[in-house]
Amino acid sequence: MRDRRPTTIGRNNRIFQFCSLGAVPQDKKYAGEPCELIIGDGNTVREFCTFNIGTPGGGGVTRVGDDNWIMAYVHLAHDCRVGSHTIFANNAQLAGHVEVGDWVILGGFTVVHQFVRLGAHSMTAMCSLLFADVPPFVMTQGQPARARSMNFEGLRRRGFSSERIAAVKAMHKALFREGLTLEQAAERIAALPQRFPEAAADAALMRDFLVATPRPWHRALTRPCAATPSKGRPCTARSPGGRRGVG
């Protein structure tokens, strides 16, 4: 049945005119194998969106979760996996094998390179160009994109308590502000539930993302250097581990 009907669409979806859902992937290696597109429930998909089916090399499935708000001209290439409660503004473009976590917001004209992962609650500014993974809660902007801050306002709107937001601020400091190596930052984040018990799941979300990241991620943050805090210049000092941590 799936070979004949490669697209499965759930309940209560609103799909507007001129969309192409479930067409063959834009992959020259694809040779007609039985692959599919699966769309969950309660999604809004506006005009001229294109969602391709998966490929054998990527698991065979392109998947969209529930309650996503996807605006016009969005492209989801083969084998993308989109979570739930996301917002994709007009012309957001995902290359193949991209993973998008729950509650992610993509600004208009955001372009995401193949195999990139965006952690839950992350956000991109308009025209961001992503070549590397974006950890949970992080806001990025630029071409190529850099981490700018955390999505604090979005978290407040989703009902995060002040304690959970304080924990996210502590993650921000550990990852981007204190010159720690990745291993040191991960240890600092793993210990956060001792100070912020309500944020245990948030700390685990960040820690698991960092551990599972097989490719570079957006640790390049435009941040004030210690020597020039008032000028707000990008800091390019090396981390204690010897790697260039930012810039």
Side-chain angles (χ1 to χ4, degrees), residues 56-78:
V61 179
T62 301
R63 189 181 301 272
V64 178
D66 303 325
D67 190 35
N68 296 290
W69 184 264
I70 300 177
M71 300 184 200
Y73 293 97
V74 167
H75 176 64
L76 305 184
H78 57 86

Side-chain angles (χ1 to χ4, degrees), residues 73-125:
Y73 293 97
V74 167
H75 176 64
L76 305 184
H78 57 86
D79 305 296
C80 286
R81 289 188 287 173
V82 177
S84 299
H85 314 295
T86 68
I87 298 175
F88 286 33
N90 296 321
N91 288 94
Q93 308 285 300
L94 271 57
H97 310 276
V98 169
E99 298 180 26
V100 180
D102 296 341
W103 300 103
V104 169
I105 299 175
L106 298 185
F109 296 90
T110 292
V111 178
V112 186
H113 192 271
Q114 62 186 2
F115 292 101
V116 163
R117 298 187 307 144
L118 291 93
H121 303 284
S122 60
M123 181 176 180
T124 70

